[in-house]
Amino acid sequence: MIMLRIVERPGSNLFRVMSKAMKTGELRTFALERGGKRVVHKRYPGYMNWSYKSGVITGEIRTPRKEGAEWQFLSALIGMLARKYAPDVEVVEIEFDASK
């Protein structure tokens, strides 16, 4: 499991913008499931449960069927943030599960 925190720049509404882009298909490789609470990638295994509060997007990346493959989802997510939403991101924090 990988924990992720994305702090959006004030006034950017990053969570809302990303959610809308995934719902409309603008982000072709990412999609939302479970009422928008889960992000999936079309090619890489696993998912990210995410939530939003006070300008911080919190996510938990898991790959239950392919343990240890969280890095693929993380890489795709960070790449997408850098390509499309860099001006809207202030900080990205990544926390690796130390229990393994």
Side-chain angles (χ1 to χ4, degrees):
M1 172 178 50
I2 297 175
M3 299 294 294
L4 184 70
R5 282 178 292 286
I6 303 165
V7 180
E8 62 183 22
R9 292 196 190 278
S12 71
N13 298 314
L14 179 61
F15 183 78
R16 186 175 51 88
V17 170
M18 286 175 53
S19 294
K20 183 179 177 185
M22 286 183 224
K23 288 177 186 175
T24 62
E26 181 184 331
L27 289 177
R28 289 176 267 164
T29 57
F30 286 94
L32 293 176
E33 293 181 346
R34 298 199 177 185
K37 294 181 181 182
R38 179 178 280 188
V39 179
V40 294
H41 192 274
K42 302 225 187 269
R43 191 163 107 200
Y44 298 125
Y47 57 88
M48 178 176 72
N49 291 324
W50 71 340
S51 61
Y52 174 78
K53 185 175 182 182
S54 302
V56 179
I57 301 167
T58 306
E60 183 179 284
I61 300 172
R62 295 180 174 267
T63 55
R65 293 188 186 149
K66 193 171 181 184
E67 195 170 319
E70 294 91 351
W71 67 270
Q72 291 176 310
F73 190 102
L74 176 65
S75 175
L77 182 67
I78 296 297
M80 180 262 301
L81 286 172
R83 275 190 318 277
K84 295 187 175 275
Y85 302 109
D88 300 323
V89 176
E90 192 165 292
V91 175
V92 175
E93 296 177 1
I94 301 170
E95 183 179 327
F96 296 96
D97 185 8
S99 66
K100 294 188 177 196

